[in-house]
Amino acid sequence: MNPLEQYIQQHCTPEDEILHALYRETHLKMMHPRMLSGVVQGAFLQWIAATLEAKKILEIGTFTGYSAICLARGMAKDGQLITIEKNEELENIAQRYFAKAGLQNRIQQHIGDAAALIPTLDADFDLVFLDADKKQYPLYLEQIVPKIKKGGVLIADNVLWNGKVVEPLKPNDKDTIGVLKFNQMVQNHPGLENVLLPLRDGLMMVRKK
Ligand SMILES: C[S@@+](CC[C@H](N)C(=O)[O-])C[C@H]1O[C@@H](n2cnc3c(N)ncnc32)[C@H](O)[C@@H]1O
């Protein structure tokens, strides 16, 4: 971490022991631990969920559960969070930390392919955090927008895709193609207002008008 990143992290609400233990266990046991949101983005997600007083949150891409815990901690007292993860091997670690955080009754974890599961969910989400398969971002956008309530917010992670969105495109790079198409669809959508925040790998903040 460079000094500026360190300074930014030192001026965000810090991780508690539970999130720190999850961060450590993820780094010890997982192949791609950097996928986890971390202190700054986690604090941001909790902050936005609290500011919106979100009651119904959807997350696409649970991984080990870090961002789900942050979002759930921010949501309203009677709020519920649904999180979708295709890798069933991650269910155990996420469930364990949801329980440690006392959130086991407020987070529902669905295991399966997000594109198949999203259409089965009831509508009216206050907040959606999109953080799964980049190739499918355009499809997720089409599926999710009708399920967000008016004034609700979608946050999509990794929309700068490590800078690849402005580099020469390799024709078989399906992830970058997915991210580029998603960003363009959001930009052109008449029913959405959006701000691309350069936080970490880029967060597309979308509000449904
Ligand atoms: C970047 S990680 C999520 C990180 C997590 N949101 C956090 O901040 O701690 C992306 C996750 O999406 C999952 N995923 C990828 N494709 C998926 C799909 N088609 N359906 C559901 N989950 C998927 C991956 O298995 C991975 O755990």
Side-chain angles (χ1 to χ4, degrees):
M1 205 186 299
N2 70 39
L4 195 55
E5 287 168 341
Q6 219 168 358
Y7 183 84
I8 292 168
Q9 182 159 319
Q10 284 162 352
H11 291 82
C12 292
T13 304
E15 259 173 353
D16 69 350
E17 280 172 17
I18 296 167
L19 284 177
H20 190 62
L22 175 54
Y23 176 92
R24 282 175 55 90
E25 189 169 340
T26 302
H27 279 74
L28 282 172
K29 296 187 178 163
M30 298 296 151
M31 288 273 285
H32 302 291
R34 287 182 54 216
M35 293 203 296
L36 168 151
S37 278
V39 175
V40 177
Q41 191 163 295
F44 176 74
L45 292 173
Q46 180 167 341
W47 186 91
I48 200 102
T51 302
L52 292 171
E53 298 178 29
K55 287 195 170 175
K56 244 184 121 178
I57 302 182
L58 171 64
E59 175 182 66
I60 318 290
T62 318
F63 191 42
T64 54
Y66 192 102
S67 50
I69 291 174
C70 297
L71 287 162
R73 282 178 167 170
M75 69 188 174
K77 289 263 176 293
D78 55 345
Q80 285 286 327
L81 181 142
I82 294 173
T83 182
I84 299 177
E85 172 55 56
K86 76 163 184 201
N87 182 352
E88 60 187 12
E89 288 173 16
L90 296 168
E91 187 175 10
N92 200 282
I93 180 168
Q95 291 291 347
R96 199 153 40 77
Y97 278 89
F98 296 159
K100 277 184 206 267
L103 292 165
Q104 67 278 12
N105 298 325
R106 304 181 62 207
I107 300 180
Q108 278 177 48
Q109 193 175 18
H110 294 227
I111 300 294
D113 178 45
L117 289 174
I118 297 166
T120 68
L121 301 174
D122 287 339
D124 276 346
F125 287 99
D126 301 298
L127 177 60
V128 179
F129 181 47
L130 175 55
D131 193 16
D133 185 0
K134 310 308 157 197
K135 296 185 283 300
Q136 299 278 44
Y137 266 30
L139 173 62
Y140 296 150
L141 184 72
E142 282 172 1
Q143 292 180 319
I144 288 167
V145 168
K147 295 196 179 275
I148 300 177
K149 75 174 196 194
K150 194 168 176 286
V153 169
L154 162 69
I155 303 174
D157 198 6
N158 307 109
V159 295
L160 297 178
W161 205 225
N162 208 19
K164 288 190 186 152
V165 289
V166 293
E167 289 170 6
L169 183 62
K170 298 190 181 109
N172 54 357
D173 182 354
K174 296 201 173 110
D175 287 326
T176 306
I177 291 170
V179 172
L180 284 167
K181 188 167 176 206
F182 171 87
N183 289 340
Q184 199 57 51
M185 283 167 72
V186 168
Q187 187 67 21
N188 294 342
H189 198 302
L192 303 174
E193 289 172 349
N194 53 298
V195 181
L196 200 170
L197 286 187
L199 175 61
R200 229 171 61 127
D201 194 22
L203 292 179
M204 184 65 92
M205 306 291 300
V206 183
R207 183 176 166 277
K208 184 166 168 179
K209 290 197 248 179

